[in-house]
Amino acid sequence: MMIAAVGESMWKNGAACGTTYTFRCTGPTNQCTGNSVTVKVVDRCAGCQANQFNLSQEAFTMIAKTDAGRININYA
C-alpha cells in the first residue's frame, strides 16, 4: 500500500487524488534507507502543513527507519 495523504493546500478539494509522487529521504544516514518510493495520493491530511505528506507505514519504511518520525524529503 504505497499511498499518501497531502495537506489541504495540495489536496485542492480532491483534485490531487490519484496524483503520484516519488520520495527520497534527505535526512541523516541514521534515519534514511537510501531508497526511493513512489506513492499515490488517496486522501487529505488534516493535520499537515502546506507542503507536508503523510505516508503509509509501508511507504515510509521504504525510505526511512520507522523510529525516525518526521523526515526531510525530496519529491517529484
Side-chain angles (χ1 to χ4, degrees):
M1 300 252 325
M2 301 306 174
I3 57 175
V6 295
E8 192 65 46
S9 65
M10 293 181 79
W11 180 243
K12 298 184 181 175
N13 293 320
C17 192
T19 303
T20 58
Y21 290 97
T22 300
F23 296 95
R24 180 174 295 277
C25 177
T26 61
T29 56
N30 66 331
Q31 290 183 341
C32 301
T33 65
N35 298 323
S36 63
V37 66
T38 300
V39 301
K40 182 188 289 189
V41 174
V42 297
D43 202 357
R44 71 179 179 90
C45 174
C48 293
Q49 298 297 319
N51 289 324
Q52 288 183 330
F53 296 84
N54 188 2
L55 301 179
S56 65
Q57 184 174 348
E58 295 86 355
F60 186 88
T61 58
M62 289 292 296
I63 62 171
K65 297 178 177 123
T66 306
D67 61 350
R70 290 181 183 225
I71 58 170
N72 292 324
I73 58 168
N74 282 338
Y75 66 93

